[in-house]
DNA sequence: ATGAAAGCGCTAACAT
DNA sequence: ATGTTAGCGCTTTCAT
């Protein structure tokens, strides 16, 4: 599709200068005579020369590249984060290497090693599933790391977090207020930090209300519609007394919604359902989904901002940002309510 | 966060061999004595040495990196493509540089130049908005290019396409069969190739049915829910006789659905609505959306497969793949039908 | 204001 | 089976 690449030497020769002078021109250094600069620039334009970022990176030990690790880019939660991240990155002349791990914790280490080999200046890791010890070595290789929705016990990494415990608490409290006492939790993956925190919030709210959840009121699943559907099925078969389901996220809630429709339960009359994240879906399904709103795009942009600060040794700005989730009450938990948000 | 990076020289010195031998070990070359290999490997493990992909790329002129250019990664159509793309890429030890262009055609050229500077082995460009002439220079720099949902008149690039004209035709034909004669088209961006093709399909179906669409039955908009909502508003105000709206994609259709709900029109009784893509949303909104199904994840994985073939000079495999879209009829166009797919 | 030399961390080609 | 040499395309430092 293309001939040999034009290099800095080619340009130098054509312009009749040393390649050093070309380097000065492309880096906008002041110490070049205007006439020379113009001549060189003209050759650059004519040849379509583009400096090799690779060669430059080898010298400068900076790649202007950051890694973004997500469990599933097709999950709207993470694609919105990616969007926000990309915006801030490209505004700062950075570019993003995208890695998808599935729900495979060992893939997390693999892709981190790949990113390290590629000398990324930093990484943003979302929804980390791996346990603390094994992932730390992989993470500590990097000049800069920002975690999204995960915190470690031992070491504090810079992070952007949604207060998931609070979210789980608020949502559960809402269900209790609506009169429910038998509330199931369709939890996400065992390995999800967010999932654990949401579960804790759920347990806390129930405890405060004097409700003692049975062990099998909680059912884990993958964070997809399909798995949520299966999990809701299992849960409601085992525990027909449940009158409300709190779900790990909106995708899972959607699955639950679907199972209820399929099994002839009406929502919220027979069973109330609440989700997490407030993806666009949540406001348009029928019944519209009660959920905890997380500012997903902002999570991504904040994470990149912080990462760039870390890369540039602004260490004071690299700590933790905790965002409060907001409960959005819609029809899926309350027959008399309607969608409150677009 | 980390000390100086371990290099191949460090490993060589610690293992008491030349750095060439280390190179042989990390590249799994056969001509190393087992004892030596083990010793070197041990040093590698101890030091956590990872070869620099940057340095390697400089020598080999291969980066094992591909660029993925999309208008909007948070659009579920493109995030699913990204998912499929990432899967095939990482299975082949390739990694993806993600670029988001918004609806800004000049950004397309910018990001392509950025990707070129980074010596990507190839690029996959989705939903290209830019006109043929200005984008060709930017595209022809690359060793390999695969377009998704865009075809040029002059030069044929390897591409993966959904037959959008057919899709527009089938959807329109369906609306006509349902008895509609005044059918509006909420078109996407002027600059979208898919949009143009879908419009042509619409025009063709109407022509065959002897319907002459008025000029202002067509309303362009950005491919988002918000803009679709506005566009539907404009269109139905101008043309209250319209009894059906075909929409550029499901997001736009969703906006139309929302406008109809807000303005007291019931769907499909007062007005029928159909979309495009069959994103997950389409099957769960109420009423469920009639739409043209596009195998999004497969589009992404096919594109990467083809790109890798191009990169590896399997030129016979680099042509065009045209996927037929499938009309999925749901409640939004027919009161008696129900969702046909999960 | 410009050029020459060294070197970033690796692979490829040619020794031995 | 291992080592030596050259060079990928740049930036940095030091000369002039």
């Amino acid at each position: 599709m293309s001939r040999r690449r034009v290099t800095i030497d080619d340009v130098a020769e054509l312009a009749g200068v040393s390649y050093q002078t070309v380097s000065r021109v492309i880096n906008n250094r002041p110490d070049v005579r205007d006439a020379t600069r113009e001549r060189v620039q003209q050759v650059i334009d004519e040849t379509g020369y583009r400096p090799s970022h690779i060669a430059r990176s080898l010298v400068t030990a900076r790649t202007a590249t950051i890694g973004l690790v997500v469990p599933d880019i097709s999950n709207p939660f993470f694609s919105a984060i990616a969007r926000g991240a990309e915006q801030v990155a490209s505004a700062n002349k950075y570019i993003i290497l995208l890695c998808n791990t599935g729900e495979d914790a060992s893939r997390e280490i693999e892709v981190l090693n790949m990113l390290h080999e590629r000398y990324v200046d930093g990484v943003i890791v979302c929804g980390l599933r791996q346990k603390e010890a094994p992932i730390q070595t992989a993470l500590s290789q990097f000049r800069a790391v920002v975690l999204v929705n995960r915190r470690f016990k031992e070491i504090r990494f810079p992070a952007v977090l949604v207060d998931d415990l609070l979210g789980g608490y608020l949502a559960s409290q809402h269900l209790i207020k609506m009169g429910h006492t038998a509330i199931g939790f369709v939890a996400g993956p065992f390995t999800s930090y967010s999932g654990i925190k949401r579960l804790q919030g759920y347990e806390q709210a129930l405890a405060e209300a004097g409700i003692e959840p049975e062990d099998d009121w909680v059912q884990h699943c993958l964070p997809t519609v399909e798995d949520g559907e299966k999990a809701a099925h299992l849960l409601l078969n085992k525990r027909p007394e449940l009158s409300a389901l709190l779900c790990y996220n909106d995708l899972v809630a959607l699955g639950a919604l679907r199972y209820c429709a399929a099994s002839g339960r009406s929502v919220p009359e027979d069973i109330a359902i609440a989700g997490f994240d407030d993806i666009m879906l949540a406001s348009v399904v029928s019944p519209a989904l009660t959920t905890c709103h997380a500012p997903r795009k902002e999570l991504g942009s904040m994470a990149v901002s912080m990462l760039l600060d870390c890369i540039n040794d602004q260490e004071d700005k690299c700590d933790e940002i905790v965002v409060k989730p907001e409960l959005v009450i819609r029809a899926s938990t309350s027959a008399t309510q309607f969608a409150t948000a677009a």
Side-chain angles (χ1 to χ4, degrees), chain A:
Chain A
M1 208 150 252
S2 60
R3 32 205 169 343
R4 192 181 73 85
R5 271 186 89 121
V6 181
T7 72
I8 199 170
D9 291 287
D10 301 330
V11 175
E13 199 180 327
L14 286 168
V17 294
S18 83
Y19 69 146
Q20 180 47 237
T21 303
V22 179
S23 173
R24 290 191 174 101
V25 172
I26 59 184
N27 288 295
N28 267 316
R29 294 287 163 70
D31 48 356
V32 182
R33 218 176 11 181
D34 282 355
T36 315
R37 184 186 301 277
E38 270 172 39
R39 191 150 35 93
V40 170
Q41 189 59 53
Q42 193 179 340
V43 174
I44 289 176
D45 294 342
E46 279 166 7
T47 55
Y49 166 71
R50 297 256 138 207
S52 162
H53 216 279
I54 300 283
R56 183 179 283 170
S57 296
L58 191 59
V59 180
T60 61
R62 290 293 189 97
T63 55
T65 306
I66 63 185
L68 176 67
V69 181
V70 295
D72 177 8
I73 189 65
S74 70
N75 177 329
F77 182 75
F78 296 114
S79 69
I81 288 179
R83 176 78 147 102
E86 207 276 348
Q87 236 156 45
V88 177
S90 68
N92 289 280
K93 305 272 175 205
Y94 269 71
I95 197 164
I96 284 183
L97 277 170
L98 176 69
C99 296
N100 206 89
T101 62
E103 289 293 329
D104 183 350
S106 68
R107 271 283 291 162
E108 294 179 340
I109 294 182
E110 265 176 48
V111 302
L112 285 173
N113 286 337
M114 261 182 104
L115 291 170
H116 186 236
E117 288 185 0
R118 282 155 196 272
Y119 277 57
V120 293
D121 294 341
V123 288
I124 291 173
V125 189
C126 304
L128 203 47
R129 307 294 192 224
Q130 184 63 261
K131 282 187 202 128
E132 198 153 341
I135 200 75
Q136 281 205 4
T137 323
L139 284 175
S140 58
Q141 316 177 86
F142 295 96
R143 160 187 272 274
V145 176
V146 171
L147 303 181
V148 175
N149 271 5
R150 172 75 185 251
R151 179 164 22 200
F152 289 148
K153 280 194 202 102
E154 307 276 321
I155 300 183
R156 169 167 292 206
F157 275 91
V160 178
L161 301 147
V162 175
D163 189 339
D164 284 308
L165 193 151
L166 177 64
Y169 178 84
L170 290 174
S172 306
Q173 199 181 43
H174 163 68
L175 291 171
I176 293 166
K177 270 192 207 148
M178 299 302 291
H180 298 281
T181 52
I183 303 171
F185 190 81
V186 190
F190 278 105
T191 50
S192 161
Y193 182 83
S194 294
I196 292 166
K197 287 292 159 189
R198 289 168 195 177
L199 181 58
Q200 287 174 2
Y202 156 88
E203 286 166 345
Q204 194 173 309
L206 264 61
E208 279 184 18
I211 302 169
E212 263 190 54
E214 303 288 330
D215 272 358
D216 52 6
W217 284 9
V218 175
Q219 173 67 50
H220 286 274
C221 67
L222 290 176
T224 62
V225 176
E226 292 69 27
D227 239 59
E229 189 166 3
K230 283 183 214 155
H233 184 165
L234 277 173
L235 201 52
L236 293 177
N237 264 23
K238 271 191 306 190
R239 289 294 178 172
E241 76 270 23
L242 295 174
S243 72
L245 292 181
L246 179 58
C247 299
Y248 169 69
N249 69 9
D250 292 340
L251 295 177
V252 170
L254 203 66
L257 226 48
R258 219 199 249 171
Y259 171 69
C260 290
S263 63
R265 292 165 169 86
S266 61
V267 177
E269 292 79 6
D270 298 336
I271 188 154
I273 291 183
F276 240 98
D277 294 348
D278 196 19
I279 60 177
M280 191 209 311
L281 220 63
S283 64
V284 298
V285 289
S286 179
L289 203 57
T290 291
T291 189
C292 271
H293 177 82
R296 301 165 287 141
K297 203 171 143 189
E298 288 68 27
L299 248 36
S301 50
M302 288 188 301
V304 173
S305 293
M306 193 186 285
L307 189 72
L308 295 180
D309 285 337
C310 299
I311 290 171
N312 299 314
D313 299 317
Q314 310 265 359
E315 308 198 349
D316 51 314
K317 292 178 185 159
C318 301
D319 196 21
E320 275 189 356
I321 300 179
V322 180
V323 182
K324 299 265 173 254
E326 236 171 273
L327 185 66
V328 182
I329 299 169
R330 300 205 180 91
S332 71
T333 58
S334 105
T336 58
Q337 301 261 3
F338 292 98
T340 62

